[in-house]
Amino acid sequence: MEKHPQLKRKLQFLYHLQLNPNIETNSDLAHSLGISKQSVSRWCTGSETARGDAIPVRQLSKVSELFSVKPEWFSLSLKSFEKKVRKSLQSKTKLSHEVKISISTLPSTRLNVVGRRRELQSLDLYLKDGRSNIIEIVAFGGTGKSALINKWLSELSKTNYQNASRIYAWSFYNENPISGDSSAGDCFLEHALQWFGDLDPSKGTSWSKANRLAELVRQERTILILDGLEPLQHGPGQCYGSIKNKSLAYLVKELASKNNGLCIITSRFPVKELASFFDARAIRIDLERLTNSAGIQLLIELGIQSDRNLFEEAVETYSGHALSLTLLAGYTNTVFDGQLDLALGEEVPLIKSQVNGRIEQLMANYFKWLDCKDALQILRIVSLLGRNTSLNEIVRIVSLCEITGFTDKLRNYSRNKWKLTLNELCEAGLIEVSKNTLDVAIENHPLIREWIKNQFREDEAEAYRNGHKLLFEYLKSDTKDLPSSAIEYEPLYRSVMHGVASGSALEAFQFYYSKVKNRYPISLASHSLDQSCVKCFFKKGWDELSYPLPEEAKYFLISSAATNLMALGELEESIELSYKCIGYFSSVENSLNVTLIAGPLVSMLIEAGRLKQAMELLHDLEPMIESSNNPVIVAMANNFKAYANFLNGNYKTASKQFALAESVLQLESPGFEVGFPTVSSYFCKYLLEIDELNFALNRSLKTFAWRERKSWQVSVDTASILASDVLVQAEIFHALGDVVNAKLYFDKQIDLFRSADEWLYLPTGLNSRARFNTALGNYDLAFEDLMESLGLAKSTGAKFGEWEAHIDMAKLFVSINDFERAEESFRNAQEIDGMDQYKFRNREIKELEQKLSLR
């Protein structure tokens, strides 16, 4: 009598009901179990040595688990089996609530995870407990972080996700658009907003998107999974583990402080932003290597045959590293028919875990068997794309051009041949495939992807460049004509990167200049996306190009990088690149470009605590500015010099220079086309400081009137300049005693700075609002703003904002008679280098010193 009668029909019944959406065929089941498709077939039909209609004992519980049925049901008749399954399904449907799920971007992994029971139980506990808002799972690449998450979600589905309403997962490796850089955060934000129901996901800046997403995530019990975050983090060094994309960093901190569900992050690096939340709100799980017994179990389940000594040798050789052991099994099964002794005799070089957390990529013996095989070209296409792809996309790419070593062996492939070759790569453990009704999704592990790409570049440089050129042409033709979001911009930027990698740097630059920079505003994409693209034109640093370009093109790229870095809060590097550009444009006597760069540079120097350097720069540029014969350029130079002198305490000089600037700004027409913004807030701040309140109010209102009339003074306007004008207006209302309007404008300027992603100037706005709240006795609100200001200022290097925040914090503590903390804050302000040049608050500082000395 058969052990599991009519097994083939039972499996087909389970596939039809889609009890496991990832398993629709015997091949899918075999893949989930890590065995061959032929093994599943033999369960049904039998073989020379085994009867059919029987699932092996060691596989029975795993198959049952995959379909959420009981093992003993397989022993029933087909009719009874179907009845039990349907009854169970109906019962679950009645008990379940509707759960919205999106986990398709997670890497495909085996559901039968070994050696991780403790971690799975911990995740269950943290979700049930509800005290923890965010969990980070940290481990070296290939240790099994994504596999753990997939297994946990699979088990969680049996309890209807513990009443979670939404499950959303995003993999920054599998969906990463631009070379693993911070730009992936912008695409994630848009995609997530769309999924969570935001009415206009592309609206606003990255910060506003992150803020909206945090609110949407909190609305219902949500499990949010951010998988493979390390491409967006700083590696070892001063900023180790911090998130490069500040909007994403903001989202993570918001969810760590308050969350209605659970956010789970997997990464090779600990997340620095979570350091202040390890009071149970954040939990860290360090995923260790597999134990010897777990490693042996993994090899056995992957079909390897050997004795215990050889198994233990293999596990120790590869440090219990899950990916290495999986690849070892794939290589052994493919080349040596599962005989581990033969594979170890070949000293198979794989990706090994080292004590210091680095990876070492050893010899290429594992892939030698691919040298003459068509499958290698599929791997090369997937690796050069650098992301998940599909069979249809690969077929389209192959059809475009015959390239030796890249597409030539695939040009005449039939559908069946594609299927056979993909199965071969799957069984070798080099790719994962998943089917849907329209296509076949293809992915592989980032470490494998990077290894293949590096080998391709080293072994066949010409084919490597030609492959990138093909992808350059393919992606150019695959982009939208009028992109309106970061997601739609991504193929444009990626095509440029492939163009540079192909050696066609000039053609790539021309495409970047004409189709990206000159056609669409940067606000539609993101500074992160643009910066990732610009970096690809250069080798390490900004001095040496990857491939030759005209000098003008080189410095156009460097000036773009400086602008991006300023917006992203990378102050020091932006200053360095701005000086570099001014040097070049001065040498070719391009006064307009010098002016366009000098204005933001002076502002950055002031924010960086380098007031003296800002004044020296303005002095050095005087001949260039005068030679421009453009009164508006001269006026803005005087405006900046006046502001610098005001901060330096030279009020008389500042007054004269402001008067010169104003004599031009008050003209009905300047007689020149204005291709850059003018700044009014500096003069208004000065008027406010010298107690010319009515003058300050009228001058501020005139700026807003210019905006209403679209006058030439604001023909070039930005959100950050508007925010500065609103800030000054708030301070004027405060000085006049109009608390209601002051609060309205203080809040508005903060929203504007945030909406403009102005991480550099936001501390100034926060400090000002904190002074307002301190004066009203709203000490908690003031403290909150000052703490945020200090965090931002320290992360961006904005010493001016940090200095003011410490002074304002000291004054706050004096107001509540906490003199000890006031003295500490005041000492912190005094210890910041260069701030002795900023004398405009000397009177306040002296009063503060007197109060501290009298306590």
Side-chain angles (χ1 to χ4, degrees):
M1 182 176 177
E2 300 90 348
K3 189 173 181 181
H4 301 132
Q6 293 184 278
L7 179 59
K8 182 178 179 180
R9 295 279 301 275
K10 289 174 180 174
L11 291 176
Q12 289 174 341
F13 176 67
L14 295 175
Y15 302 153
H16 174 72
L17 289 180
Q18 292 188 317
L19 294 180
N20 187 323
N22 296 316
I23 303 177
E24 299 178 355
T25 64
N26 285 353
S27 294
D28 296 335
L29 176 58
H31 179 66
S32 297
L33 295 169
I35 61 178
S36 68
K37 178 180 67 174
Q38 291 77 12
S39 297
V40 177
S41 298
R42 285 194 291 268
W43 298 350
C44 302
T45 60
S47 66
E48 294 180 0
T49 58
R51 299 179 66 180
D53 286 328
I55 301 174
V57 174
R58 65 186 179 90
Q59 297 288 4
L60 181 58
S61 62
K62 300 171 190 173
V63 173
S64 302
E65 184 180 355
L66 287 172
F67 294 105
S68 300
V69 299
K70 293 184 177 181
E72 57 267 26
W73 291 357
F74 283 100
S75 300
L76 301 172
S77 67
L78 178 61
K79 185 176 181 179
S80 297
F81 176 82
E82 291 179 350
K83 185 177 180 180
K84 286 280 189 184
V85 172
R86 290 189 187 280
K87 185 176 180 181
S88 174
L89 183 60
Q90 289 170 359
S91 176
K92 289 178 182 177
T93 302
K94 289 177 182 178
L95 292 173
S96 66
H97 65 285
E98 184 178 352
V99 182
K100 185 180 180 183
I101 302 174
S102 174
I103 59 173
S104 61
T105 69
L106 283 175
S108 297
T109 59
R110 298 170 67 252
L111 283 179
N112 189 31
V113 174
V114 299
R116 302 300 186 199
R117 180 50 50 190
R118 183 182 63 184
E119 289 83 1
L120 290 167
Q121 290 172 346
S122 295
L123 289 173
D124 278 341
L125 177 64
Y126 296 136
L127 181 61
K128 288 177 183 176
D129 184 87
R131 288 186 299 170
S132 300
N133 297 328
I134 197 161
I135 309 295
E136 60 170 346
I137 302 173
V138 181
F140 173 69
T143 304
K145 301 182 292 294
S146 300
L148 174 68
I149 292 299
N150 281 330
K151 176 64 174 177
W152 180 63
L153 289 174
S154 175
E155 292 192 353
L156 204 60
S157 67
K158 299 167 189 173
T159 63
N160 210 27
Y161 298 99
Q162 291 189 18
N163 296 319
S165 300
R166 299 171 302 184
I167 320 292
Y168 180 86
W170 182 272
S171 173
F172 291 99
Y173 265 117
N174 283 346
E175 296 299 322
N176 180 29
I178 301 286
S179 289
D181 217 314
S182 61
S183 53
D186 299 316
C187 292
F188 154 71
L189 290 172
E190 280 194 13
H191 188 280
L193 281 171
Q194 182 178 14
W195 189 83
F196 278 98
D198 188 82
L199 296 178
D200 190 355
S202 63
K203 180 184 178 181
T205 61
S206 297
W207 180 88
S208 63
K209 292 172 187 175
N211 192 45
R212 299 202 310 271
L213 181 57
E215 292 303 316
L216 287 168
V217 169
R218 289 167 175 157
Q219 284 179 3
E220 298 179 44
R221 184 168 167 80
T222 300
I223 298 173
L224 174 67
I225 297 167
L226 307 179
D227 178 67
L229 186 63
E230 61 268 21
L232 281 78
Q233 292 175 269
H234 289 281
Q238 185 178 3
C239 299
Y240 178 58
S242 61
I243 300 172
K244 300 174 187 176
N245 186 301
K246 288 184 169 55
S247 300
L248 183 59
Y250 171 83
L251 173 68
V252 168
K253 291 176 73 173
E254 280 291 298
L255 294 178
S257 64
K258 181 183 177 183
N259 197 357
N260 193 29
L262 190 64
C263 174
I264 300 176
I265 297 173
T266 72
S267 177
R268 298 178 195 174
F269 310 135
V271 179
K272 188 175 182 179
E273 283 77 7
L274 295 179
S276 59
F277 295 95
F278 287 112
D279 52 5
R281 290 179 296 172
I283 300 290
R284 175 175 169 179
I285 297 175
D286 290 302
L287 198 62
E288 304 292 342
R289 55 157 283 174
L290 293 176
T291 62
N292 278 8
S293 59
I296 292 170
Q297 183 184 349
L298 175 62
L299 290 172
I300 292 172
E301 291 186 1
L302 291 173
I304 302 303
Q305 305 167 32
S306 188
D307 59 43
R308 185 166 185 86
N309 288 337
L310 275 178
F311 274 136
E312 288 185 346
E313 179 186 343
V315 175
E316 281 303 312
T317 297
Y318 296 104
S319 305
H321 185 240
L323 177 61
S324 292
L325 293 174
T326 302
L327 290 174
L328 172 63
Y331 180 79
T332 304
N333 282 324
T334 302
V335 181
F336 297 106
D337 198 26
Q339 300 299 312
L340 186 58
D341 55 339
L342 297 177
L344 289 178
E346 286 285 313
E347 298 182 353
V348 183
L350 299 173
I351 305 165
K352 294 177 61 177
S353 173
Q354 304 295 323
V355 174
N356 62 3
R358 295 180 295 110
I359 64 168
E360 183 180 352
Q361 296 178 339
L362 306 176
M363 300 166 55
N365 292 4
Y366 181 85
F367 295 103
K368 279 185 177 179
W369 70 282
L370 278 168
D371 273 354
C372 299
K373 293 181 178 289
D374 303 352
L376 180 58
Q377 295 190 1
I378 296 177
L379 290 173
R380 286 175 171 175
I381 294 171
V382 173
S383 297
L384 258 61
L385 280 170
R387 56 171 170 76
N388 284 358
T389 183
S390 67
L391 178 56
N392 284 344
E393 182 175 41
I394 291 178
V395 170
R396 288 200 306 273
I397 291 168
V398 169
S399 69
L400 293 175
C401 184
E402 181 174 322
I403 297 174
T404 303
F406 193 63
T407 62
D408 59 306
K409 292 184 178 181
L410 308 173
R411 295 273 288 174
N412 298 316
Y413 255 36
S414 64
R415 197 74 182 179
N416 189 52
K417 184 67 171 173
W418 279 110
K419 182 178 179 181
L420 291 173
T421 307
L422 290 176
N423 284 340
E424 181 182 29
L425 289 172
C426 273
E427 291 179 4
L430 294 173
I431 65 169
E432 300 282 351
V433 299
S434 54
K435 306 181 185 73
N436 56 48
T437 55
L438 300 175
D439 204 352
V440 177
I442 301 170
E443 63 182 278
N444 58 4
H445 196 282
L447 294 179
I448 299 174
R449 205 156 59 209
E450 194 64 24
W451 194 94
I452 294 169
K453 185 172 75 172
N454 290 339
Q455 289 297 112
F456 187 24
R457 181 173 55 237
E458 293 170 10
D459 295 345
E460 298 186 48
E462 184 178 358
Y464 174 83
R465 289 192 298 271
N466 289 338
H468 275 296
K469 185 64 182 292
L470 176 58
L471 296 180
F472 175 44
E473 299 298 335
Y474 163 68
L475 288 169
K476 279 201 302 181
S477 64
D478 198 44
T479 56
K480 290 192 68 170
D481 185 50
L482 292 172
S484 58
S485 67
I487 291 175
E488 292 176 0
Y489 256 96
E490 180 267 325
L492 279 169
Y493 283 112
R494 191 151 37 88
S495 65
V496 173
M497 298 185 74
H498 285 297
V500 175
S502 73
S504 305
L506 181 58
E507 186 180 348
F509 172 79
Q510 290 168 341
F511 179 72
Y512 169 74
Y513 183 82
S514 62
K515 297 294 185 182
V516 181
K517 297 296 282 189
N518 277 1
R519 193 168 181 183
Y520 311 117
I522 189 69
S523 58
L524 290 179
S526 78
H527 287 285
S528 295
L529 273 170
D530 196 68
Q531 185 68 357
S532 299
C533 184
V534 170
K535 282 170 67 176
C536 78
F537 285 92
F538 294 84
K539 295 181 180 178
K540 190 175 183 180
W542 298 98
D543 293 320
E544 189 177 356
L545 290 162
S546 300
Y547 295 96
L549 283 174
E551 284 289 283
E552 188 175 359
K554 175 183 176 180
Y555 282 95
F556 176 86
L557 291 168
I558 294 176
S559 64
S560 296
T563 300
N564 292 331
L565 289 165
M566 180 175 69
L568 295 170
E570 302 292 341
L571 192 56
E572 292 301 320
E573 192 174 5
S574 181
I575 288 172
E576 179 186 346
L577 295 188
S578 297
Y579 268 111
K580 191 185 291 285
C581 290
I582 283 180
Y584 168 73
F585 289 119
S586 294
S587 69
V588 296
E589 299 183 351
N590 188 328
S591 59
L592 178 59
N593 277 348
V594 168
T595 304
L596 290 172
I597 297 166
L601 175 55
V602 170
S603 297
M604 284 191 289
L605 288 170
I606 290 172
E607 293 298 324
R610 302 189 199 173
L611 181 58
K612 183 179 179 181
Q613 196 173 338
M615 297 173 77
E616 289 172 349
L617 173 63
L618 288 166
H619 179 269
D620 292 342
L621 291 177
E622 283 180 359
M624 173 71 68
I625 291 167
E626 292 296 333
S627 67
S628 71
N629 295 318
N630 185 321
V632 182
I633 290 178
V634 175
M636 281 303 95
N638 281 320
N639 191 48
F640 277 101
K641 285 189 284 187
Y643 183 58
N645 275 301
F646 156 59
L647 295 177
N648 193 228
N650 301 319
Y651 286 16
K652 287 185 179 180
T653 305
S655 178
K656 293 176 183 178
Q657 291 166 333
F658 275 130
L660 291 172
E662 286 294 301
S663 67
V664 176
L665 284 176
Q666 300 302 325
L667 295 174
E668 286 297 319
S669 173
F672 281 81
E673 183 178 350
V674 180
F676 48 87
T678 64
V679 180
S680 295
S681 58
Y682 290 166
F683 183 44
C684 294
K685 285 183 181 180
Y686 167 73
L687 293 173
L688 190 60
E689 182 65 24
I690 62 173
D691 294 327
E692 292 282 356
L693 295 186
N694 289 328
F695 193 176
L697 176 62
N698 291 331
R699 179 62 180 82
S700 177
L701 293 174
K702 179 174 281 190
T703 305
F704 289 104
W706 285 339
R707 283 195 173 88
E708 288 290 327
R709 300 199 304 265
K710 295 182 171 51
S711 299
W712 70 266
Q713 293 90 341
V714 291
S715 59
V716 179
D717 203 4
T718 68
S720 60
I721 289 177
L722 173 59
S724 297
D725 290 334
V726 172
L727 168 56
V728 171
Q729 185 68 57
E731 291 177 332
I732 294 170
F733 280 136
H734 183 206
L736 291 170
D738 187 345
V739 174
V740 174
N741 276 314
K743 182 183 185 309
L744 181 69
Y745 275 72
F746 273 121
D747 291 343
K748 184 178 179 180
Q749 56 94 17
I750 293 294
D751 291 340
L752 285 167
F753 276 127
R754 292 196 197 281
S755 70
D757 275 353
E758 283 294 357
W759 307 102
L760 183 59
Y761 303 115
L762 178 56
T764 299
L766 291 166
N767 294 338
S768 186
R769 188 170 69 175
R771 290 192 289 272
F772 169 70
N773 278 313
T774 298
L776 295 181
N778 299 326
Y779 301 122
D780 288 343
L781 293 175
F783 181 79
E784 185 179 328
D785 275 348
L786 291 173
M787 288 302 294
E788 183 181 357
S789 173
L790 285 170
L792 284 170
K794 288 176 180 178
S795 68
T796 60
K799 291 183 179 180
F800 180 34
E802 183 185 356
W803 175 71
E804 286 208 289
H806 281 306
I807 291 173
D808 294 332
M809 188 74 84
K811 293 181 70 176
L812 184 157
F813 286 137
V814 167
S815 298
I816 60 175
N817 296 318
D818 189 342
F819 289 97
E820 185 176 343
R821 294 171 75 184
E823 287 177 342
E824 181 185 1
S825 295
F826 188 58
R827 280 197 303 273
N828 289 335
Q830 290 177 311
E831 289 171 0
I832 300 175
D833 292 336
M835 302 317 299
D836 57 333
Q837 296 293 317
Y838 295 74
K839 301 176 182 178
F840 73 108
R841 294 189 71 172
N842 277 1
R843 183 175 59 186
E844 285 180 73
I845 292 171
K846 285 180 181 179
E847 291 175 359
L848 180 60
E849 285 177 324
Q850 289 175 355
K851 289 179 180 178
L852 291 173
S853 66
L854 294 174
R855 79 179 184 90

